[in-house]
Amino acid sequence: MHDLFTGSGIDYWLFGGWAVDFHVGSITRSHDDIDVAVWLDDHDRIAGLLGAEGWRHAPEADEDGGTGYERDTVRLELTFLVPEDGGEVYVPLLAGRALWSDEPLSTDLAELSGVRARVLGLAELKRGKSRSREDPVEAAKDRADFATLSQLG
């Protein structure tokens, strides 16, 4: 993904459980998907790139603010971002926009098992993992991820 996106001039940020693993430097738990944030304006180019690599668009019925792609047994979840003039970054939702970050997004690169990726910054990732989600399974993952991240400097 890193080479595909950066080779095409597409900014992206790995977040969620895999970003935790990249910050830690090892796999901390099993994962259901790969969460990547991208600029909404890049979606058409991303769709073309992913299609050329064998990914198929696999939207979920209730998706809002992003979409999914699948290849073999791997699910890629894209979250769309929109920048604002004041430096804030939002997720465009059907009900309006939701603040993603009120500061510039990190350009941190991390490596895990020889794979490089641009990851959401540690502070941003911890902030996101500190918020509790309604789904008990997702909330448990977030608590575990937050505890793991809290052990980092």
Side-chain angles (χ1 to χ4, degrees):
M1 218 43 68
H2 175 75
D3 291 340
L4 182 66
F5 284 2
T6 58
S8 297
I10 295 172
D11 290 329
Y12 77 94
W13 295 267
L14 182 66
F15 69 101
W18 277 110
V20 172
D21 292 354
F22 271 79
H23 275 285
V24 170
S26 64
I27 298 174
T28 61
R29 63 174 175 83
S30 64
H31 301 281
D32 301 322
D33 58 15
I34 303 167
D35 297 302
V36 175
V38 296
W39 299 121
L40 176 60
D41 286 348
D42 288 333
H43 183 232
D44 288 342
R45 286 191 311 140
I46 291 169
L49 290 169
L50 292 174
E53 294 289 322
W55 293 83
R56 70 172 182 81
H57 189 214
E60 293 185 351
D62 63 345
E63 70 183 17
D64 188 10
T67 194
Y69 289 83
E70 294 177 350
R71 185 173 77 180
D72 302 323
T73 61
V74 178
R75 180 157 179 91
L76 173 65
E77 290 283 342
L78 296 181
T79 295
F80 299 133
L81 303 177
V82 176
E84 291 292 324
D85 291 337
E88 301 90 1
V89 177
Y90 292 90
V91 177
L93 302 173
L94 296 174
R97 58 188 192 170
L99 183 65
W100 174 271
S101 178
D102 57 0
E103 354 181 300
L105 298 178
S106 71
T107 57
D108 296 346
L109 284 178
E111 189 169 320
L112 177 62
S113 300
V115 176
R116 293 184 63 161
R118 179 187 285 174
V119 294
L120 196 63
L122 182 58
E124 297 162 301
L125 191 57
K126 282 175 75 172
R127 192 169 38 251
K129 291 293 186 176
S130 70
R131 297 184 197 120
S132 185
R133 292 190 274 180
E134 290 181 25
D135 181 282
V137 172
E138 298 301 320
K141 288 182 199 176
D142 288 344
R143 282 191 303 275
D145 287 346
F146 183 77
T148 299
L149 292 171
S150 294
Q151 296 175 10
L152 300 178

